[in-house]
Amino acid sequence: MSAGSEPTVLPAGGPNAVARALGLLGNEWTVLILQRALLGTTRYSGFLHELPISNSVLTSRLNTLVDEGLLEHRIYQRNPIRAEYRLTDRGRSVWSILLAIWDWERTWVSHQDETLPTMSHTPCGCDFRPVLACTACDKAVAVQDVSTSWGPSGSWARSSADAMTRRRSGRRAKPVFFPETMEAFGDRWSSSMIGAAFLGICRFSEFQSALSMPPSLVADRLQLFVAQGVLTTVQHGQRANWVEYHLTEKGRAFFPVVMLMLTWAEKWYRSEEGPALIHVHDDCQKEFVPTLTCSHCGRRLKGGDVLPSTAQFASGAS
């Protein structure tokens, strides 16, 4: 059985599934390599030709994806040696996360260097947007429809990705292809703050206390998210000197990316104690397991049925 077909078991007391997923997927090059792999690229030279990436960074990210079980390195010729990188089940299953990122960036981020393509749903033949839905009852779901609580392996400390796996804090490189998604997921502090906002934390002191963040970093990230329109400042109803930070419509629209990433994380990285987070769909009172449906015909989406109008995003998963 290959490493990419079975979940990785995480030791008790260590970083949980959320931390592992954020450390892996919170990198723009990782996302872009997976995108190209889902579109059919398999050779090192192909990735190098299709992405503006250096040899050293490409080699590093490919090695990480192989080590983490998303890609399999196969030698198909011995003399001279030629190899390719093939997606595993774990790697193919990121298609829904990439689709949600595409939809959010295309809908809410106006300063893309290139206009992202529309998507076509092959079974109904129509352009569409993915709709987040509940697997148990098939109803469309928004952030206010899901109740979330910590699970047995959940805590802020255990859910924060190792700083060594993320971009350095401080003078951060500006993302190019998915600018605002990577600002939200591209370093451990930003991703932790976005998660905290979805769990209802809204005051400066609450962010600082829950996440054990230096005040300067709290201020920096709050300023960034307000400037992006992901958070907005709201005056406290009873304390005039208190300011709260609430998710905007744009911020709440990021919920599918968050939920699909968390579900992917729990599927492929399992802590001995149990899940990091527990989600319940308030309407049907069942565990909330997300799926994506077509905004036009309502059918559940499969990766192989999703085609971009230009060669931009993935369609290779089942």
Side-chain angles (χ1 to χ4, degrees):
M1 195 74 71
S2 70
S5 60
E6 292 293 325
T8 299
V9 178
L10 305 178
N16 60 25
V18 177
R20 289 293 296 269
L22 287 173
L24 179 63
L25 299 181
N27 179 284
E28 190 176 28
W29 291 122
T30 297
V31 172
L32 288 168
I33 290 169
L34 289 171
Q35 175 206 45
R36 301 316 302 178
L38 283 161
L39 284 167
T41 303
T42 61
R43 297 183 185 181
Y44 185 96
S45 59
F47 291 111
L48 197 63
H49 174 73
E50 295 169 15
L51 297 172
I53 189 172
S54 68
N55 279 282
S56 60
V57 172
L58 177 58
T59 298
S60 173
R61 299 318 301 170
L62 287 173
N63 288 341
T64 297
L65 288 168
V66 170
D67 291 343
E68 291 291 331
L70 281 80
L71 293 177
E72 184 179 3
H73 187 227
R74 298 178 181 176
I75 296 175
Y76 63 89
Q77 180 177 303
R78 289 288 177 181
N79 189 20
I81 291 181
R82 298 186 186 277
E84 60 184 5
Y85 295 87
R86 290 286 181 179
L87 286 160
T88 63
D89 292 342
R90 185 182 305 201
R92 279 188 293 273
S93 65
V94 302
W95 74 271
S96 60
I97 304 172
L98 296 184
L99 186 62
I101 289 173
W102 158 81
D103 182 61
W104 189 76
E105 291 267 347
R106 189 173 190 274
T107 304
W108 294 101
V109 181
S110 59
H111 53 276
Q112 289 279 358
D113 289 342
E114 296 182 8
T115 302
L116 294 178
T118 57
M119 288 286 176
S120 176
H121 186 210
T122 303
C124 68
C126 296
D127 289 347
F128 75 98
R129 291 187 59 193
V131 176
L132 189 72
C134 173
T135 302
C137 67
D138 285 324
K139 290 185 179 179
V141 172
V143 60
Q144 66 270 16
D145 302 322
V146 177
S147 297
T148 299
S149 58
W150 289 116
S153 65
S155 70
W156 290 117
R158 293 183 62 182
S159 302
S160 181
D162 189 325
M164 295 302 292
T165 67
R166 317 300 297 280
R167 290 203 311 271
R168 293 180 178 87
S169 300
R171 192 180 293 274
R172 292 171 292 158
K174 183 70 176 176
V176 176
F177 294 94
F178 310 111
E180 296 194 12
T181 296
M182 286 301 111
E183 290 289 5
F185 273 166
D187 70 71
R188 62 179 179 142
W189 298 120
S190 294
S191 56
S192 296
M193 287 188 68
I194 287 292
F198 274 109
L199 287 174
I201 289 180
C202 59
R203 297 215 315 271
F204 188 104
S205 59
E206 293 175 335
F207 284 111
Q208 184 183 356
S209 174
L211 306 176
S212 300
M213 286 179 66
S216 60
L217 285 178
V218 177
D220 174 71
R221 298 314 192 266
L222 288 175
Q223 183 180 24
L224 171 66
F225 290 137
V226 170
Q228 288 180 338
V230 170
L231 297 178
T232 188
T233 55
V234 177
Q235 212 64 39
H236 191 277
Q238 298 175 331
R239 298 285 297 270
N241 61 331
W242 281 9
V243 173
E244 296 183 341
Y245 295 86
H246 292 187
L247 288 162
T248 62
E249 182 182 3
K250 177 180 179 178
R252 292 189 296 272
F254 199 67
F255 184 62
V257 179
V258 173
M259 280 306 312
L260 290 163
M261 190 280 297
L262 292 176
T263 302
W264 183 88
E266 296 286 2
K267 177 179 180 179
W268 294 106
Y269 296 95
R270 295 184 181 175
S271 297
E272 291 182 354
E273 308 101 310
L277 291 163
I278 298 171
H279 313 283
V280 176
H281 182 203
D282 295 335
D283 193 45
C284 69
Q285 285 299 297
K286 300 287 182 64
E287 176 189 4
F288 177 59
V289 179
T291 187
L292 294 177
T293 62
C294 173
S295 60
H296 187 267
C297 70
R299 280 182 275 190
R300 291 187 185 182
L301 298 174
K302 296 181 180 180
D305 293 337
V306 176
L307 297 174
S309 57
T310 60
Q312 282 265 1
F313 260 84
S315 60
S318 58

